[in-house]
Amino acid sequence: MDTLVKFGPKEATREQRQALSDRAAALNATQDRKLSPFAEQLSQRYINGELSLAEVNAQLDAHYQAQTQKPIPTRGADGILAVAPRPAPAVTKARSLSH
């Protein structure tokens, strides 16, 4: 694997990638944030040299974008699983009905 193409000079070795990952985790901890299991798995693959940081970011973007596009199932008062309604589209300009 050619680490010079995939990784910058500050992330060329596993130890450097681990240090960067640790630093990011520490920054997140100061804001009471923790990586999701999916993000944690991608982070480990980055540390191992399997993915570049750009590849990690692309996979995270795709994953969470897909998550936000799915309707979230909820349970009604009767306990039956239902899908929350989608918000109505915004109207940008109203037309007059009179001629």
Side-chain angles (χ1 to χ4, degrees):
M1 173 178 31
D2 188 3
T3 58
L4 296 179
V5 173
K6 197 169 191 173
F7 302 106
K10 292 184 178 183
E11 57 178 350
T13 68
R14 185 183 198 291
E15 292 76 20
Q16 289 172 315
R17 292 188 298 276
Q18 180 68 58
L20 288 171
S21 181
D22 291 346
R23 190 174 308 135
L27 288 172
N28 278 334
T30 65
Q31 299 175 12
D32 293 327
R33 291 193 281 177
K34 186 178 175 188
L35 292 179
S36 69
F38 179 71
E40 189 71 45
Q41 183 182 53
L42 290 178
S43 177
Q44 192 58 51
R45 290 183 65 196
Y46 166 73
I47 292 166
N48 292 338
E50 298 171 29
L51 297 174
S52 69
L53 197 52
E55 292 168 322
V56 169
N57 288 332
Q59 286 196 30
L60 283 171
D61 288 347
H63 176 76
Y64 290 117
Q65 191 172 44
Q67 292 287 323
T68 59
Q69 292 176 354
K70 292 180 184 175
I72 300 171
T74 58
R75 294 200 182 270
D78 55 3
I80 297 175
L81 204 56
V83 176
R86 291 182 179 217
V91 177
T92 57
K93 184 177 180 183
R95 283 187 348 179
S96 172
L97 296 177
S98 62
H99 290 77

